[in-house]
Amino acid sequence: ACPPGASRSMTSVRRPSLAPYTAAALKPQVSGQLTAQAGLRWAAAPAVLAVDLHSTTLQDLQLRDGAGRSANSLAAVKRLQLDGAQLDLLARRVVLAKLQIDQPQLALARGADGQLDLSAWLPASKPGPKAVPATPSAAPSAASQTAAPAWQLALADLLLNGGRVAWADAALASSGQPYRADLSALKLRLQGLAWPAPTDPRAALPRLQLSASVGAPAMAGAAPGAPATRGQIDWSGSFGLAPLQADGRLKLDHLPLHLFVPYAGNALPVQLLHADASLSTQVRASATSNGWQVATDGDLQLTDVLLHNRPAPGSAADSSELLSWQTLALQGVVVQMQPASKPRIDVRELALTDFYSQLVITEQGRFNLQDVAATPPADVASAAAPAAASAAAAPAPSSAVAASAVGAASGPTDLPIDLALGKTELRNGRIDFSDRLVRPNYSARLTELNGQLGAFRSGTREMATLSLRGRAADTALLDISGQLNPTAQPLALDIRAKATDLELAPLSPYAGKYAGYAIERGKLSMDVAYKIDADGRLDAKNQVVLNQLTFGERVESPSATQLPVLLAVALLKDRHGVIDINLPVSGTLADPQFSVAGIIWKVIVNLLTKALTAPFALLAGGGTDDLSQVQFVPGSARIADSGRQALAKVAAALKDRPSLMMTVTGAADTVSERDAAQRVLLEERLATEAWRERARAAPAAVAPASAASAAADAVPLTAAERAAALKRVYQQTPLPDRPRNFINQLKDIPAAEMQSRLLAGQRISDETMRELALQRGLAVRDALIAQGLSSDRLFIAAPKLRLSGEGDAAWVPSVNLTLSTK
């Protein structure tokens, strides 16, 4: 026994001396070095039994799942320093002045059965002696009448530096490898913690500072060899335990949201392949008996977002890109939650940059968005294909209104939140549309989408000012203006949209299917106005102008109209070859018999029916040189030097002949140009990848243009850039039989072999060459405009595919120029 106030000290207490104790509580092998200086205070009256730990150090603590070099580290602490600790055993009170933990590490794993490996750390419990029932007594003892006090803890200062938690989940294994993630560079400082928490609301709350890096060595869905994605979490503020509450600033820097997607399973209607979140906000939250009270005020950014559609169960189809954007920035985000009331969200300003969406009509006539959102009414689904064609080609202000109007009529009557959104900016948007229902397949795109939407608030019919501009199918100018409130029920809308100089030749698949003729040339301009009042009544005006619309060969189609198409067009077309009609639309959205999409489709059918013109005369150019052929570099849409010389002469001739019009017909050979096209497509992919890398390395120095446009401009690459881009493209391309090492990672192979494999995997189809032929025509058109010709004198004809062996065997890739009068 020690006299009161006596102290003992321990130094260099190693694992063997602790082994009997740790073995009883833990299966893993424990090693480390403990140094402690402690004092014992005790007295009989009044009763005192306390331990003072003046200084305690635990170094190189290791928990391993076995012995020897093959043992895996389960947990480790480089150094644990405890200063000024007091343990009062009778009062059940622990006071810690300072606790510092350096480089703690923990490895956690979940097995394929869903069980955490922590359960395997504890030894199996042994059955104890059978309990003997207590003998009833007349009165409880004095000891039992006085309950022991609850333990109390006071922690003045806790420091944690360099922490790391590794996570492996075999239940989410991919390719035989468990899903992995980690929390590293963990720093924590906790001050003023007391348990139980003080009941006095005036008492100071504990202060907490926390920072960590979150990521994974290989994200789910990432391309082989892709770099690890990491984000940063920072918190600084106070918190309370009883009740739960927090008040401080939360910061996230490029937190990889896709890291958590595997745990959502099939709950998400889409596949989130990549998304980084950055947040800086002040948070105040507290739990009450009726629910949570939350208030936040800060900024949020979602960057590098990539969403793919989710193929139907049992489908052999691969997922495809559905939506992506570079940056979605929300400034001044204020969130307020009160028990028994709607959450309120205010956003001062929103900006969406470099966004992209892909709209597809499948071979079964379904929109790809139908598998993400709710199924639309039957009348809309039945008209999905023609309405979608209008949306991509026209560029569909009318069909966009139709979709919104139908959604307003059949959607929910109230939002689950109160939303107030300030000015919204859209920058550099692009929408690709593909229709696989028609043959040949049709595709078009809206590009250079830029605009603004003013402030609006849910629960009112106050409308925001809308202004949106862009290009459709690379030719038409799009201008949408007006007012709307997308949260109003029914939709509050009053907009006007214009589209000018849309080339009609790419719409030939629809003309062939529904009108019975292919389109050779023509331009479309639309001026539409749509208004929906508070009663859900729609009034619309559709001013449609078809200029020089010319149909070609007859197409046998069971869906083609039986109306006298050619006669109708002849009656509508004036002496200048222009059709100008106004088609009003009106009705009540609440009427189940009223189908906006059906009416829009009827408008399109009427336009096509009236737009099939009589044959026109083509005049060939004269002179000693054959100027009707503009030669191109094989496999590409780049004009050859001889072709540029021919175009200079053509431009000069047309300036002198203002009454002449020109039709440009692109051509391509699927067989003889296949190898060249493969090389060109590969070089475009390399240029695109190099541009993206430049943008990532120095975003401020790169113009805000899409990767596709950068590749189209043929940005010259250095040898090092090309080699790096070639390697990344090879890693990202799912080619068959790529050499892999024993851990299933891609092997490094020579650049020539990578290029050869990529070329062999480059698919060149008739659709690819048909698109190349169309791009050649557009290149000639743009070159002539650059030399001073007006765009209203130039028309793009449907592209032509040449079969090898037809005509001259020495055929050279070219575009045919044909002249006609006004």
Side-chain angles (χ1 to χ4, degrees), residues 10-15 17-18 22 30-37 55-63 75-83 99-104:
M10 297 184 294
T11 60
S12 301
V13 180
R14 299 183 181 276
R15 183 195 60 78
S17 61
L18 300 177
T22 60
V30 183
S31 63
Q33 181 174 336
L34 174 66
T35 302
Q37 183 177 2
S55 176
T56 303
T57 303
L58 179 61
Q59 291 184 317
D60 297 327
L61 175 66
Q62 292 279 346
L63 272 73
V77 175
K78 182 65 177 178
R79 183 173 180 270
L80 185 148
Q81 179 72 40
L82 177 61
D83 296 322
L99 175 62
Q100 181 170 340
I101 306 173
D102 294 330
Q103 299 182 26

Side-chain angles (χ1 to χ4, degrees), residues 441-456:
N441 295 160
Y442 170 74
S443 63
R445 60 182 181 175
L446 300 177
T447 56
E448 303 176 28
L449 294 175
N450 294 275
Q452 289 186 352
L453 177 64
F456 66 89

